[in-house]
Amino acid sequence: MIRTMIRYGVLAGAVVLGACELAVQNPNQPETERVLKTAADVENLLGTQYLRWHIAIYGSLSNVWGMANVQSFEDYSSLSNNCMGQRVGIPRAGNDNTIGNGCATEQSRMYFIDSEVARITSNVLAKLDDPTFTLGSPAQDARARAFAQFVRGLALGYLALVYDQAAIVTPQMSTQDAGTLVGYNEVMAAALDALQKSLDAANLTVTGANGFPLPGGWIPGPTSMTQAEFIKLVRTYRARLRASVARTPTERAAVNWDLVIADAQNGITADHLNTTNTVTGPFNSWLAQWLTFTTWHQMTPFVIGMADNSGAYSAWISAAIDNRGTASSFFMVTDDKRFPQGATRAAQQTDFAITSCSTPSTPCKRYFVNRPSGNDTFSGSSWGWSNYDFVRFYSWRTSGDGTGQNGKLIFFTKAELDLLQAEGQIRKGNYAAAAALINNSRVANGGLPAITAFDATSPVPGGAACVPKVPANASAGGGATVSCGNMFEAMKWEKRVETAYTHFGAWFLDSRGWGDLPEGTGVHWAAPFQDLQARGEAIYSTGGTTGNTGSAVKGTYGW
């Protein structure tokens, strides 16, 4: 029995002492019937499960998000906190999963909490399957079923995104059954099935009180989760999960892009916001930490440098890796308006300072800032150093909607959904449709010239000032060259800039499927050694260049 996966409930036992019978609660066994005894118990427990899933992904520094970000160049830090320093180096170290490894807490948190959420929502669904049970009306039962399958799908989906294998639990299984470990594709198939069942329940024509919208605390945010809005959200997450599970370019190409496009076209129509709360959740601890602008957070030039039109990136990426950034921190000039504008560092600092967006509910003028010269706090490898910090959500960090980290925050951008659809349209050869979707953010947010060549090979417009400029043969030994990217690279650039720090592992999940991770980077984490031990299975690690499975090969850019 995997006790870490059944953390709630107890089993009532009986011990006979002489003529007396004494009921004893055994905390090592689950008692689903006691936990789910009444309709109110069932609904109250269910209503907490989105927040429970949320806290696994976003509510603590003790998960793999920090590692994922430094491994994909979305962030840079040489600190050993939460194993960023252990994973940031090039050549890449593996994702060590040996007994007692120093990253065990971070590497197991999402696994156990998401497995718990999948178990609890499955038990709720089993209760709803009981023909003698009702929450109060057919409409209320259908709403609960739709929500339970949605959260179950999220929990299984993120297990499939992060780990190479996990167990699938279902409403039909005994609460004593921990399930059998299966591969990530099988886990994702179960997640997608749960999301379809969520849609089926949400679309039912039913009668009675307490149907949609969802109670406000179930998914805290400014949007009332009516039947229509809930369906959009389910389809939105399904588009992300279906596309993001791929570990290699071959797997990414094999995604059913027709289904991704269909979900994207029927998903959210504006950014999806959660209302964060530092006490009751949902919350985003990693973003709060990254926005403190210390050695936790530096923007290495590997990716953001693709916006440069001064020649600085070309010189930087062509140098041997140990010589990149040794003379000074990276400075660039770009026409992309999401970055500070100006030909000098002083001009960029004048163009945009973070003090301009430190008051409540104040969007920042740029997504990135050229930090004040006196605030340079570089550490670690020189290739991690630059002048730039990510600041798009700085107002939320300092002031929220009134107090810091309390208030509305983007958790799924409309741009991400557009660009998921754009990728699908490119892969299907529908270049004009893809260009229109890419231009939504490229022009309106980036101020860059629209893509007007509707094919797979033409360079993006802009000439010497084109964005992005992509490297080739950018190995550690040096000698790389850069050139203007094509439509696919423009899509990738928009996806990276528009989703940076908006959700777990944004760059990591895309980069592994696009083939853009540095050679040897682990494309996933192993099932934690604690669970493997409990199951009597062999313990193993992933990634690195030491013979483990799950290592990225040298890909698109040659690093």
Side-chain angles (χ1 to χ4, degrees):
M1 178 190 310
I2 312 306
R3 305 198 195 285
T4 49
M5 296 169 66
I6 45 178
R7 297 169 182 242
Y8 69 99
V10 292
L11 176 66
V15 178
V16 179
L17 299 175
C20 299
E21 185 174 86
L22 176 65
V24 176
Q25 305 261 341
N26 179 354
N28 294 318
Q29 298 284 350
E31 190 204 350
T32 303
E33 284 303 313
R34 187 176 67 82
V35 174
L36 304 177
K37 185 175 182 180
T38 69
D41 292 335
V42 172
E43 196 162 55
N44 288 338
L45 179 62
L46 176 60
T48 66
Q49 292 309 294
Y50 173 81
L51 298 184
R52 187 66 177 149
W53 166 78
H54 207 287
I55 204 169
I57 310 301
Y58 300 116
S60 173
L61 300 180
S62 294
N63 63 24
V64 299
W65 194 1
M67 292 182 249
N69 273 25
V70 299
Q71 287 177 319
S72 60
F73 303 129
E74 189 174 354
D75 196 77
Y76 174 86
S77 178
S78 62
L79 294 178
S80 291
N81 301 63
N82 306 107
C83 294
M84 293 185 293
Q86 289 91 323
R87 300 290 184 267
V88 75
I90 295 176
R92 292 297 199 211
N95 291 329
D96 180 17
N97 191 43
T98 56
I99 296 174
N101 76 83
C103 304
T105 298
E106 287 78 7
Q107 294 178 157
S108 65
R109 177 183 175 85
M110 289 177 60
Y111 185 90
F112 289 128
I113 295 179
D114 279 347
S115 296
E116 170 198 302
V117 171
R119 167 66 73 188
I120 291 174
T121 51
S122 291
N123 287 347
V124 168
L125 288 161
K127 190 72 172 179
L128 292 168
D129 286 340
D130 182 348
T132 68
F133 177 81
T134 180
L135 293 174
S137 76
Q140 194 167 359
D141 293 345
R143 182 184 73 178
R145 188 179 299 279
F147 186 73
Q149 290 287 15
F150 171 57
V151 180
R152 180 172 171 267
L154 289 180
L156 290 172
Y158 273 79
L159 286 171
L161 291 184
V162 175
Y163 300 98
D164 67 330
Q165 58 176 343
I168 301 167
V169 293
T170 71
Q172 293 73 39
M173 291 168 59
S174 162
T175 58
Q176 304 285 323
D177 188 348
T180 301
L181 293 179
V182 296
Y184 59 86
N185 280 320
E186 192 170 342
V187 179
M188 183 56 75
L192 298 176
D193 177 70
L195 295 179
Q196 182 57 53
K197 286 181 169 67
S198 174
L199 293 171
D200 292 343
N203 278 307
L204 286 174
T205 301
V206 285
T207 60
N210 298 322
F212 284 97
L214 297 179
W218 288 16
I219 302 179
T223 301
S224 174
M225 281 294 148
T226 63
Q227 178 191 42
E229 292 300 322
F230 177 76
I231 288 170
K232 290 177 186 177
L233 187 63
V234 175
R235 299 196 71 169
T236 296
Y237 271 100
R238 190 166 65 174
R240 173 192 285 172
L241 294 176
R242 192 186 299 277
S244 299
V245 71
R247 269 50 174 185
T248 66
T250 299
E251 290 186 9
R252 186 92 172 194
V255 164
N256 189 327
W257 288 100
D258 286 327
L259 295 181
V260 174
I261 290 168
D263 278 338
Q265 290 176 339
N266 290 278
I268 56 174
T269 55
D271 292 342
H272 170 62
L273 311 178
N274 281 172
T275 301
T276 61
N277 187 296
T278 53
V279 177
T280 62
F283 191 53
N284 194 321
S285 292
W286 268 112
L287 181 58
Q289 190 60 252
W290 282 317
L291 290 173
T292 56
F293 314 125
T294 63
T295 49
W296 284 81
H297 171 65
Q298 301 171 73
M299 290 304 306
T300 175
F302 271 91
V303 171
I304 67 166
M306 295 182 191
D308 176 58
N309 61 33
S310 70
Y313 181 63
S314 178
W316 185 89
I317 200 70
S318 67
I321 192 167
D322 290 339
N323 295 328
R324 295 175 195 167
T326 52
S328 63
S329 58
F330 182 78
F331 170 80
M332 69 180 184
V333 177
T334 181
D335 288 349
D336 193 320
K337 300 301 190 291
R338 291 161 292 198
F339 291 80
Q341 300 296 289
T344 66
R345 189 172 186 189
Q348 291 186 8
Q349 291 165 350
T350 299
D351 169 70
F352 169 59
I354 58 175
T355 52
S356 66
C357 55
S358 60
T359 53
S361 306
T362 305
C364 288
K365 178 182 178 182
R366 311 293 185 202
Y367 293 8
F368 298 85
V369 68
N370 192 315
R371 61 172 71 168
S373 301
N375 286 6
D376 290 340
T377 54
F378 305 124
S379 67
S381 301
S382 60
W383 54 259
W385 303 355
S386 78
N387 300 155
Y388 299 94
D389 288 317
F390 177 82
V391 295
R392 184 178 179 184
F393 307 118
Y394 187 71
S395 173
W396 170 85
R397 170 68 176 83
T398 59
S399 306
D401 290 343
T403 58
Q405 302 165 57
N406 292 288
K408 297 183 291 295
L409 180 66
I410 296 173
F411 277 88
F412 205 118
T413 67
K414 177 59 165 60
E416 178 184 350
L417 204 59
D418 286 346
L419 294 161
L420 278 167
Q421 185 187 167
E423 180 172 354
Q425 299 291 7
I426 291 172
R427 292 181 183 278
K428 290 175 62 63
N430 300 328
Y431 298 112
L437 292 159
I438 295 166
N439 288 337
N440 283 345
S441 57
R442 177 178 170 86
V443 177
N445 298 344
L448 298 170
I451 295 172
T452 56
F454 304 140
D455 58 55
T457 57
S458 294
V460 294
C466 69
V467 176
K469 291 183 176 68
V470 298
N473 303 314
S475 67
T481 58
V482 299
S483 59
C484 295
N486 58 18
M487 183 186 292
F488 196 78
E489 288 294 335
M491 179 276 298
K492 288 161 61 175
W493 174 254
E494 290 305 307
K495 189 101 177 284
R496 287 171 173 140
V497 177
E498 291 294 329
T499 65
Y501 301 93
T502 63
H503 70 95
F504 170 85
W507 290 16
F508 178 85
L509 297 175
D510 281 333
S511 291
R512 70 181 179 189
W514 293 334
D516 295 347
L517 292 174
E519 184 178 16
T521 303
V523 297
H524 45 220
W525 283 261
F529 75 81
Q530 302 96 319
D531 195 33
L532 295 172
Q533 271 189 309
R535 295 173 182 276
E537 299 199 13
I539 295 168
Y540 60 95
S541 301
T542 60
T545 55
T546 58
N548 295 329
T549 61
S551 297
V553 300
K554 186 175 292 188
T556 312
Y557 307 124
W559 49 51

